[in-house]
Amino acid sequence: MPANKAKAAAAAAIAIPLMPEGTKVVAQFKSADGESTGPPLNLPADVTPEQLELLLNQLLEQSEDPIPYSFYVGEDEIIKSLWTDRKDKSTEDTITIVYQPQAVFRVRAVSRCTSTLSGHTEAVLSCAFSPDGSQLATGSGDATVRIWDLNTETPRYTLRGHTGWVLSIAWSPDGKTLASGSMDKTVRLWDPKTGKSLGDGLKGHTKWITSLSWEPYHLNSKANRLASSSKDSTVRVWDTALRRVIMTISQHTAAVTCVKWGGEGLIYTASQDKTIKVWNSSGVLVKTLQGHGHWVNTLALSTDFVLRTGPFDHTGKKYPTEEESKAAALARYKAFKGSKPERLVSGSDDFTMFFWEPETSKKPLTRMTGHQKLVNHVSFSPDGRYIASASFDTSVKLWDGQTGKFLGNLRGHVGSVYQVCWSSDSRMLLSGSKDSTLKVWDIKKMKIKLDLPGHQDEVFAVDWSPGGDKVASGGKDKQLKIWRH
């Protein structure tokens, strides 16, 4: 152990004195609104969150269908045990344990294919639900983007204009614009309500577009700034209203594979030059994250889901003004993020993933190893508790979203896994694979919940609607499938 690590370990050992055998505390459960639940309880001072959860579910008489909770004493979340995570070790006074439910709503597993929609004449390469889940778009190798009517499950508009494969699509956070990036080196903007193109393609990149990311709604409710990354090793940020480039970010020395616009206004870019770079929203390089030994393919932010859905939550509430939606999006973001920095996970062709907190350090918190082939896709669960990774080694792996620790394997696919997607309550994960199936996994049990065959060939793209009621999938068989409970 290096000297500084040894010192840190010694300091930590001093910081947490050993608990005297049999120490008890008197604790009172309170809800987030400050209402007391049950009587004050005499608990062992090193009680764990799992034990507290059992107790609380019994007190609330919901042991049949327990709800998961997180527990806090003051500012400290109880993660390991009450003794370790509580700064004040006194056992004199009654301590208040505040509990917060996790996703109170439950998403039901999709179990049947309700429609198989043809229309694309080549493989479906990307599919995405709009932020409020009311619209669905797909991009394809036939150079078109299609928008589908979800109520009738029929094709609505075919958006023509690209002259090459449509590699990625992205909904603006207000759901009013759809962007698509193509092999033809352009980014196009569309009005999903009318199916019309908003002007001509945005030109500037000299090679194909690899990924798109809009500025988060709570930072810019006009939703008029879009970042596009390209094989030409640059990232361009566009003003989508004025239809011009605001800035070009060009310090990568190889293709940029992925761009993410984070909740604090930082732009993260992953590249085949083996680095990840962090930029501020004026395009100034803030940090370079190094560690990978091969191309970096994919990035995931702990805030992805809350940024994707912006002001829209599971209640489906609509806000009359832009200010109110912006305030709602900001409140959701703040509530989600708490005081912790945004976390980033990167997956690479070197078979590993790294776990970063780019706001605080350019060194990775941990290196996540275990996959035996390249990591194609990583994704944080909506509540930020888990990370799922999909790899060409046919496995999906599950990791702790706070620490990056390995939790388990989800095995069942017999071909490369291309993409994973979470249900909005973070209790299930969906994966799409080269073996032509989709699989739904139960996260608590770490087992397969449902096998969804139906596609005739490899499944390239999957998405679970933010409301949790529908799943869309597409792939090599040119069909879009919609799945429901």
Side-chain angles (χ1 to χ4, degrees):
M1 201 145 86
N4 56 353
K5 273 211 178 143
K7 275 186 200 146
I14 298 161
I16 299 171
L18 279 172
M19 186 185 90
E21 218 24 64
T23 309
K24 299 268 198 220
V25 289
V26 178
Q28 171 69 58
F29 281 125
K30 283 199 176 164
S31 69
D33 308 332
E35 289 175 20
S36 298
T37 303
L41 302 166
N42 197 356
L43 301 173
D46 58 353
V47 63
T48 66
E50 289 74 26
Q51 294 166 318
L52 289 171
E53 201 172 278
L54 273 172
L55 250 169
L56 185 60
N57 275 305
Q58 281 171 342
L59 284 171
L60 295 169
E61 296 176 0
Q62 50 193 29
S63 306
E64 288 304 300
D65 198 10
I67 293 180
Y69 289 93
S70 46
F71 298 95
Y72 298 85
V73 176
E75 289 298 296
D76 314 330
E77 184 177 0
I78 302 171
I79 298 165
K80 288 199 178 67
S81 75
L82 185 53
W83 185 262
T84 350
D85 295 316
R86 188 173 151 236
K87 294 198 177 62
D88 166 24
K89 301 287 179 234
S90 101
T91 54
E92 299 289 304
D93 308 323
T94 305
I95 60 171
T96 305
I97 300 181
V98 178
Y99 60 89
Q100 292 190 340
Q102 306 213 267
V104 180
F105 61 96
R106 273 185 183 281
V107 170
R108 299 194 295 184
V110 291
S111 53
R112 62 201 170 91
C113 177
T114 53
S115 309
T116 300
L117 302 170
S118 34
H120 281 301
T121 54
E122 287 294 334
V124 178
L125 302 175
S126 51
C127 67
F129 285 97
S130 61
D132 62 356
S134 65
Q135 308 173 79
L136 172 66
T138 52
S140 161
D142 63 11
T144 68
V145 176
R146 281 176 176 257
I147 291 179
W148 308 84
D149 186 322
L150 285 172
N151 296 323
T152 56
E153 302 194 357
T154 51
R156 190 154 176 212
Y157 299 118
T158 303
L159 314 181
R160 300 180 198 280
H162 282 301
T163 55
W165 298 1
V166 180
L167 299 172
S168 62
I169 51 177
W171 289 90
S172 65
D174 58 4
K176 292 180 183 156
T177 315
L178 179 67
S180 58
S182 163
M183 207 78 162
D184 66 13
K185 309 173 206 168
T186 67
V187 174
R188 283 182 176 267
L189 302 168
W190 314 89
D191 178 345
K193 291 268 178 292
T194 61
K196 297 273 183 290
S197 173
L198 300 172
D200 203 30
L202 303 176
K203 295 186 178 66
H205 283 298
T206 55
K207 289 189 175 162
W208 66 82
I209 313 296
T210 52
S211 144
L212 300 166
S213 184
W214 290 84
E215 185 170 19
Y217 192 78
H218 67 264
L219 297 175
N220 173 9
S221 54
K222 292 190 181 56
N224 61 358
R225 300 214 300 172
L226 170 73
S228 62
S229 66
S230 164
K231 173 83 169 127
D232 66 12
S233 68
T234 68
V235 170
R236 286 175 179 257
V237 176
W238 309 87
D239 180 316
T240 56
L242 302 175
R243 310 184 41 73
R244 61 189 176 95
V245 152
I246 304 171
M247 59 195 179
T248 304
I249 296 174
S250 51
Q251 285 185 25
H252 280 297
T253 53
V256 183
T257 52
C258 185
V259 58
K260 291 271 182 193
W261 203 318
E264 299 296 305
L266 295 171
I267 298 173
Y268 305 94
T269 57
S271 163
Q272 293 185 351
D273 65 12
K274 306 189 285 202
T275 68
I276 298 146
K277 290 188 187 287
V278 185
W279 317 80
N280 66 17
S281 39
S282 336
V284 179
L285 181 64
V286 186
K287 288 188 176 82
T288 299
L289 309 180
Q290 283 167 322
H292 280 298
H294 208 309
W295 297 355
V296 187
N297 295 322
T298 171
L299 296 175
L301 289 172
S302 54
T303 49
D304 273 340
F305 185 78
V306 73
L307 296 181
R308 168 190 180 172
T309 49
F312 307 104
D313 63 5
H314 65 279
T315 57
K317 187 170 172 194
K318 296 266 190 292
Y319 297 92
T321 66
E322 190 183 298
E323 285 74 42
E324 282 176 74
S325 329
K326 185 173 181 176
L330 184 61
R332 282 191 71 210
Y333 173 72
K334 284 224 166 88
F336 170 81
K337 188 169 177 256
S339 55
K340 297 202 256 319
E342 192 167 53
R343 305 185 298 285
L344 175 78
V345 164
S346 56
S348 157
D349 265 26
D350 66 8
F351 311 171
T352 71
M353 295 142 66
F354 276 100
F355 189 79
W356 317 83
E357 268 179 11
E359 285 169 43
T360 52
S361 160
K362 62 176 193 182
K363 295 218 169 2
L365 295 184
T366 166
R367 179 164 179 253
M368 300 151 72
T369 57
H371 280 300
Q372 273 132 34
K373 288 191 181 164
L374 69 90
V375 180
N376 196 50
H377 190 219
V378 289
S379 177
F380 268 93
S381 63
D383 63 7
R385 287 242 159 150
Y386 301 105
I387 300 156
S389 57
S391 161
F392 281 17
D393 65 9
T394 76
S395 76
V396 175
K397 290 188 191 297
L398 212 57
W399 316 79
D400 185 307
Q402 307 286 349
T403 61
K405 194 167 108 313
F406 175 67
L407 297 175
N409 282 310
L410 303 175
R411 292 200 182 279
H413 281 298
V414 292
S416 300
V417 187
Y418 291 137
Q419 232 187 356
V420 287
C421 180
W422 288 88
S423 66
S424 48
D425 64 356
S426 307
R427 291 189 178 103
M428 287 175 290
L429 180 73
L430 177 78
S431 55
S433 158
K434 184 176 180 167
D435 67 14
S436 85
T437 69
L438 297 170
K439 295 193 191 319
V440 180
W441 308 89
D442 182 320
I443 293 307
K444 209 166 196 171
K445 296 184 182 142
M446 290 234 206
K447 289 213 166 44
I448 187 162
K449 200 173 177 107
L450 285 165
D451 196 8
L452 304 175
H455 279 288
Q456 312 289 310
D457 209 330
E458 313 187 11
V459 183
F460 294 144
V462 294
D463 196 20
W464 202 317
S465 70
D469 52 339
K470 297 179 217 48
V471 160
S473 62
K476 214 169 172 176
D477 65 2
K478 311 172 197 172
Q479 309 282 357
L480 167 72
K481 283 186 181 285
I482 295 178
W483 310 79
R484 293 180 190 248
H485 173 70

